[in-house]
């Protein structure tokens, strides 16, 4: 399997899945990028049955939604919560968010409408990898989320 399968299995083997899920449900701020976003989702529409998920975000994701590793790409995204300057985003065999439930805020979409960043209270998810962009604005956004959850 891919990264999210591996992370999920390790989480279960080390007994981290339940404590993590309950801490997140109690308000621990969390940000999942790419495989991490998959782990936060309530469900995937194409994962193998039995893939362990934390299931703490009211979203459905599609793994490898843009194709294989070779179809990885970079693009400029408009992300209103980060201001007017587009955010240069790296998609590395990333997922797409195919459904969002009530309470989920869509933060960014591709030009064709595909949802690629979401927030649900203390939970943030991105289909791309802001940690490899030189632009720190998404990290600043997460720090503000942490502050607002603390208050
Ligand atoms: N494709 C991977 C998965 O499904 C995620 C890729 C990534 O995290 N860069 O788990």
């Amino acid at each position: 399997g891919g990264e999210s399968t591996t992370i999920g299995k390790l989480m279960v083997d080390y007994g981290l899945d339940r404590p993590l899920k309950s801490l997140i449900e109690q308000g621990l701020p969390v940000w999942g990028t790419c495989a991490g976003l998959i782990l936060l989702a309530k469900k995937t529409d194409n994962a193998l049955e039995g893939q362990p998920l934390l299931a703490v975000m009211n979203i459905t994701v599609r793994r490898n939604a843009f194709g294989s590793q070779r179809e990885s790409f970079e693009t400029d995204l408009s992300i209103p919560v980060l201001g007017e300057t587009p955010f240069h985003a790296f998609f590395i065999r990333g997922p797409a968010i195919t459904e969002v439930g009530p309470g989920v805020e869509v933060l960014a979409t591709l030009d064709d409408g595909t949802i690629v960043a979401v927030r649900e209270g203390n939970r943030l998810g991105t289909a791309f990898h802001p940690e490899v962009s030189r632009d720190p604005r998404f990290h600043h956004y997460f720090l503000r989320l942490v502050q607002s959850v603390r208050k």
Side-chain angles (χ1 to χ4, degrees):
E3 291 91 332
S4 60
T5 316
T6 308
I7 299 166
K9 285 183 174 171
L10 287 170
M11 233 167 34
V12 171
D13 284 358
Y14 284 85
L16 288 171
D17 53 329
R18 286 188 193 181
L20 258 178
K21 185 177 166 84
S22 102
L23 283 169
I24 295 167
E25 283 168 351
Q26 287 163 43
L28 180 77
V30 66
W31 176 10
T33 67
C34 204
L37 166 72
I38 297 166
L39 287 160
L40 295 180
K42 284 239 156 84
K43 80 181 201 233
T44 72
D45 59 18
N46 64 344
L48 293 178
E49 212 167 302
Q51 174 177 357
L53 300 173
L54 288 168
V56 290
M57 287 191 87
N58 203 357
I59 57 172
T60 304
V61 298
R62 180 169 305 151
R63 290 181 62 182
N64 308 325
F66 306 100
S68 69
Q69 206 65 269
R70 285 169 51 166
E71 277 84 49
S72 294
F73 61 99
E74 306 173 23
T75 190
D76 283 330
L77 291 177
S78 155
I79 307 184
V81 294
L82 301 186
E84 271 178 27
T85 311
F87 187 86
H88 194 69
F90 295 83
F91 289 80
I92 307 170
R93 200 162 65 110
I97 298 153
T98 52
E99 266 177 54
V100 296
V104 178
E105 189 188 346
V106 173
L107 302 181
T109 62
L110 296 174
D111 289 342
D112 68 2
T114 305
I115 301 169
V116 292
V118 283
R119 175 176 177 176
E120 188 176 353
N122 58 321
R123 304 150 206 197
L124 181 63
T126 50
F128 47 96
H129 285 268
E131 78 281 11
V132 299
S133 298
R134 286 224 161 135
D135 187 337
R137 285 179 296 158
F138 226 109
H139 290 76
H140 290 161
Y141 178 77
F142 181 63
L143 290 176
R144 291 198 297 278
L145 179 158
V146 173
Q147 274 173 337
S148 74
V149 169
R150 285 231 173 113
K151 279 178 202 153

